Coordinates of all heavy atoms in Angstrom, one line a residue:
G468 N -106.7 -118.7 88.4 CA -106.7 -117.2 88.4 C -105.8 -116.6 87.4 O -106.2 -115.6 86.7
F472 N -107.0 -114.2 84.3 CA -106.3 -112.9 84.1 C -105.9 -112.8 82.6 O -106.1 -111.7 82.0 CB -105.1 -112.8 85.0 CG -104.5 -111.4 85.0 CD1 -104.9 -110.4 85.9 CD2 -103.6 -111.0 84.1 CE1 -104.4 -109.2 85.9 CE2 -103.0 -109.8 84.1 CZ -103.4 -108.8 85.0
R476 N -110.6 -111.8 82.1 CA -111.8 -112.0 83.0 C -111.4 -111.6 84.4 O -111.3 -112.5 85.3 CB -112.3 -113.4 82.8 CG -112.7 -113.8 81.4 CD -112.8 -115.3 81.2 NE -113.8 -115.9 82.1 CZ -114.0 -117.2 82.1 NH1 -113.4 -118.0 81.3 NH2 -114.9 -117.7 83.0
H477 N -111.1 -110.4 84.6 CA -110.4 -109.9 85.8 C -111.3 -110.1 87.1 O -110.7 -110.5 88.1 CB -110.0 -108.5 85.7 CG -109.0 -108.3 84.5 ND1 -109.4 -107.6 83.4 CD2 -107.8 -108.7 84.4 CE1 -108.3 -107.5 82.6 NE2 -107.4 -108.2 83.1
A478 N -112.5 -109.9 87.0 CA -113.4 -110.1 88.2 C -113.4 -111.6 88.6 O -113.3 -111.9 89.8 CB -114.8 -109.6 87.9
D479 N -113.5 -112.5 87.6 CA -113.4 -113.9 87.9 C -112.1 -114.3 88.5 O -112.0 -115.2 89.3 CB -113.7 -114.7 86.6 CG -115.2 -114.6 86.1 OD1 -116.0 -114.3 87.0 OD2 -115.4 -114.8 84.9
A480 N -111.0 -113.7 87.9 CA -109.7 -114.0 88.4 C -109.5 -113.6 89.9 O -108.9 -114.3 90.7 CB -108.6 -113.2 87.6
V481 N -110.1 -112.4 90.3 CA -110.0 -112.0 91.7 C -110.7 -113.1 92.6 O -110.2 -113.4 93.6 CB -110.7 -110.6 91.9 CG1 -110.9 -110.3 93.4 CG2 -109.9 -109.5 91.2
A482 N -111.8 -113.6 92.2 CA -112.5 -114.6 93.0 C -111.6 -115.8 93.1 O -111.6 -116.4 94.2 CB -113.9 -115.0 92.3
A483 N -111.0 -116.2 92.1 CA -110.1 -117.4 92.2 C -108.9 -117.1 93.1 O -108.5 -118.0 93.9 CB -109.6 -117.8 90.8
F484 N -108.3 -115.9 93.0 CA -107.2 -115.6 93.8 C -107.6 -115.5 95.3 O -106.8 -115.9 96.2 CB -106.5 -114.3 93.4 CG -105.8 -114.4 92.0 CD1 -106.0 -113.4 91.1 CD2 -105.0 -115.4 91.7 CE1 -105.4 -113.4 89.8 CE2 -104.3 -115.5 90.5 CZ -104.5 -114.5 89.6
F485 N -108.8 -115.0 95.5 CA -109.3 -114.9 96.9 C -109.4 -116.3 97.5 O -109.2 -116.5 98.7 CB -110.6 -114.1 97.0 CG -110.4 -112.6 97.0 CD1 -109.2 -112.0 96.9 CD2 -111.6 -111.8 97.1 CE1 -109.1 -110.7 97.0 CE2 -111.4 -110.4 97.2 CZ -110.2 -109.9 97.1
Y489 N -107.6 -116.7 101.0 CA -108.4 -116.8 102.2 C -109.1 -118.1 102.4 O -109.8 -118.3 103.4 CB -109.4 -115.7 102.2 CG -108.8 -114.3 102.0 CD1 -109.2 -113.6 100.8 CD2 -107.9 -113.7 102.8 CE1 -108.6 -112.4 100.5 CE2 -107.4 -112.5 102.6 CZ -107.7 -111.8 101.4 OH -107.2 -110.6 101.2
A507 N -101.1 -115.0 95.4 CA -102.5 -114.8 95.1 C -103.0 -113.4 95.6 O -103.8 -112.7 94.8 CB -103.4 -115.9 95.8
T508 N -102.5 -112.9 96.7 CA -102.8 -111.6 97.2 C -102.3 -110.5 96.2 O -103.0 -109.6 95.9 CB -102.3 -111.4 98.6 OG1 -102.7 -112.4 99.5 CG2 -102.6 -110.0 99.1
F509 N -101.1 -110.7 95.8 CA -100.5 -109.8 94.8 C -101.3 -109.8 93.5 O -101.6 -108.7 92.9 CB -99.0 -110.2 94.6 CG -98.3 -109.2 93.6 CD1 -98.0 -108.0 94.0 CD2 -98.0 -109.7 92.3 CE1 -97.3 -107.1 93.1 CE2 -97.4 -108.8 91.4 CZ -97.0 -107.6 91.8
E510 N -101.6 -111.0 93.0 CA -102.3 -111.0 91.7 C -103.7 -110.5 91.8 O -104.2 -109.8 90.9 CB -102.4 -112.5 91.2 CG -101.0 -113.1 90.9 CD -100.2 -112.4 89.8 OE1 -100.8 -111.6 89.1 OE2 -99.0 -112.7 89.6
A511 N -104.4 -110.7 93.0 CA -105.7 -110.1 93.2 C -105.6 -108.6 93.2 O -106.5 -107.9 92.6 CB -106.3 -110.6 94.5
A512 N -104.5 -108.0 93.8 CA -104.3 -106.6 93.8 C -104.1 -106.1 92.4 O -104.7 -105.0 92.0 CB -103.2 -106.2 94.7
R513 N -103.4 -106.8 91.6 CA -103.2 -106.4 90.2 C -104.5 -106.3 89.4 O -104.7 -105.4 88.6 CB -102.2 -107.3 89.5 CG -100.8 -107.2 89.9 CD -99.9 -108.2 89.2 NE -99.9 -108.0 87.8 CZ -99.8 -108.9 86.8 NH1 -99.8 -110.2 87.2 NH2 -99.8 -108.6 85.5
C514 N -105.3 -107.3 89.7 CA -106.6 -107.4 89.0 C -107.5 -106.1 89.4 O -108.1 -105.5 88.5 CB -107.4 -108.6 89.4 SG -106.8 -110.1 88.6
C515 N -107.4 -105.8 90.7 CA -108.2 -104.6 91.1 C -107.7 -103.4 90.5 O -108.4 -102.4 90.1 CB -108.2 -104.5 92.6 SG -109.1 -105.8 93.4
D516 N -106.3 -103.3 90.3 CA -105.7 -102.2 89.6 C -106.3 -102.1 88.2 O -106.8 -101.0 87.7 CB -104.2 -102.4 89.4 CG -103.4 -101.5 90.3 OD1 -104.0 -100.5 90.9 OD2 -102.2 -101.7 90.5
V517 N -106.4 -103.2 87.5 CA -106.9 -103.2 86.1 C -108.4 -102.9 86.1 O -108.8 -102.2 85.1 CB -106.6 -104.6 85.5 CG1 -107.3 -104.7 84.1 CG2 -105.1 -104.9 85.3
L518 N -109.1 -103.3 87.1 CA -110.5 -103.0 87.1 C -110.9 -101.6 87.5 O -112.1 -101.3 87.6 CB -111.2 -104.0 88.1 CG -111.3 -105.5 87.6 CD1 -111.7 -106.4 88.8 CD2 -112.3 -105.6 86.5
G519 N -109.9 -100.8 87.8 CA -110.1 -99.5 88.2 C -110.6 -99.3 89.7 O -111.5 -98.5 89.9
K520 N -110.2 -100.2 90.5 CA -110.6 -100.2 91.9 C -109.3 -99.9 92.8 O -108.8 -100.8 93.5 CB -111.2 -101.5 92.3 CG -112.5 -101.8 91.6 CD -113.1 -103.1 92.0 CE -114.4 -103.4 91.3 NZ -115.0 -104.7 91.8
P521 N -108.9 -98.7 92.8 CA -107.6 -98.4 93.5 C -107.7 -98.6 95.0 O -106.6 -99.0 95.6 CB -107.4 -96.9 93.1 CG -108.7 -96.3 92.8 CD -109.5 -97.5 92.2
E522 N -108.8 -98.3 95.6 CA -108.9 -98.5 97.1 C -108.7 -99.9 97.4 O -108.0 -100.3 98.4 CB -110.2 -97.9 97.6 CG -110.4 -96.4 97.5 CD -109.4 -95.7 98.3 OE1 -108.9 -96.2 99.4 OE2 -109.0 -94.5 97.9
Q523 N -109.4 -100.8 96.7 CA -109.2 -102.3 97.0 C -107.8 -102.8 96.7 O -107.3 -103.6 97.4 CB -110.3 -103.0 96.2 CG -110.4 -104.5 96.6 CD -111.6 -105.2 96.0 OE1 -112.4 -104.6 95.2 NE2 -111.8 -106.4 96.3
A524 N -107.3 -102.3 95.6 CA -105.9 -102.6 95.2 C -104.9 -102.2 96.3 O -104.0 -103.0 96.7 CB -105.5 -102.0 93.8
L525 N -105.1 -101.0 96.7 CA -104.2 -100.4 97.8 C -104.3 -101.3 99.0 O -103.2 -101.6 99.7 CB -104.5 -99.0 98.1 CG -103.6 -98.2 99.1 CD1 -102.2 -98.2 98.5 CD2 -104.2 -96.8 99.3
S526 N -105.5 -101.6 99.4 CA -105.7 -102.5 100.6 C -105.0 -103.8 100.5 O -104.3 -104.3 101.4 CB -107.2 -102.7 100.9 OG -107.4 -103.5 102.0
L527 N -105.1 -104.4 99.3 CA -104.5 -105.8 99.1 C -102.9 -105.7 99.0 O -102.2 -106.5 99.6 CB -105.0 -106.4 97.8 CG -106.5 -106.9 97.9 CD1 -107.0 -107.1 96.5 CD2 -106.5 -108.1 98.7
Y528 N -102.4 -104.6 98.4 CA -101.0 -104.5 98.4 C -100.4 -104.3 99.8 O -99.4 -104.9 100.2 CB -100.6 -103.3 97.5 CG -100.7 -103.5 96.0 CD1 -101.4 -102.6 95.2 CD2 -100.1 -104.5 95.4 CE1 -101.5 -102.7 93.8 CE2 -100.1 -104.7 94.0 CZ -100.9 -103.8 93.2 OH -101.0 -104.0 91.9
A529 N -101.1 -103.5 100.6 CA -100.7 -103.3 102.0 C -100.8 -104.5 102.8 O -99.9 -104.8 103.6 CB -101.6 -102.2 102.6
E530 N -101.8 -105.3 102.5 CA -102.0 -106.6 103.2 C -100.8 -107.6 102.9 O -100.3 -108.2 103.8 CB -103.3 -107.2 102.8 CG -103.6 -108.6 103.5 CD -104.9 -109.2 103.1 OE1 -105.8 -108.4 102.8 OE2 -105.0 -110.4 103.0
R547 N -96.4 -99.9 93.9 CA -97.8 -99.6 93.6 C -98.5 -98.9 94.8 O -99.3 -98.0 94.5 CB -98.6 -100.9 93.3 CG -98.2 -101.6 92.0 CD -98.4 -100.6 90.9 NE -99.8 -100.2 90.7 CZ -100.2 -99.0 90.2 NH1 -99.3 -98.2 89.7 NH2 -101.5 -98.7 90.1
L551 N -100.3 -95.4 94.1 CA -101.7 -95.2 94.4 C -101.9 -94.1 95.5 O -102.9 -93.4 95.4 CB -102.3 -96.5 94.8 CG -102.5 -97.6 93.7 CD1 -102.8 -98.9 94.3 CD2 -103.5 -97.2 92.7
R554 N -101.6 -90.8 93.8 CA -102.8 -90.5 93.1 C -104.0 -90.0 94.0 O -104.7 -89.1 93.6 CB -103.3 -91.8 92.3 CG -104.5 -91.5 91.4 CD -104.9 -92.9 90.7 NE -103.8 -93.5 90.1 CZ -103.9 -94.7 89.5 NH1 -105.1 -95.4 89.7 NH2 -102.9 -95.3 88.9

Side-chain angles (χ1 to χ4, degrees):
F472 188 93
R476 298 164 59 184
H477 299 112
D479 292 335
V481 170
F484 291 134
F485 276 3
Y489 310 114
T508 304
F509 180 72
E510 297 296 349
R513 288 180 63 213
C514 286
C515 291
D516 253 347
V517 172
L518 288 166
K520 297 181 177 180
E522 294 295 333
Q523 192 170 358
L525 184 61
S526 176
L527 287 166
Y528 285 128
E530 180 180 327
R547 289 304 299 154
L551 291 168
R554 187 183 305 173

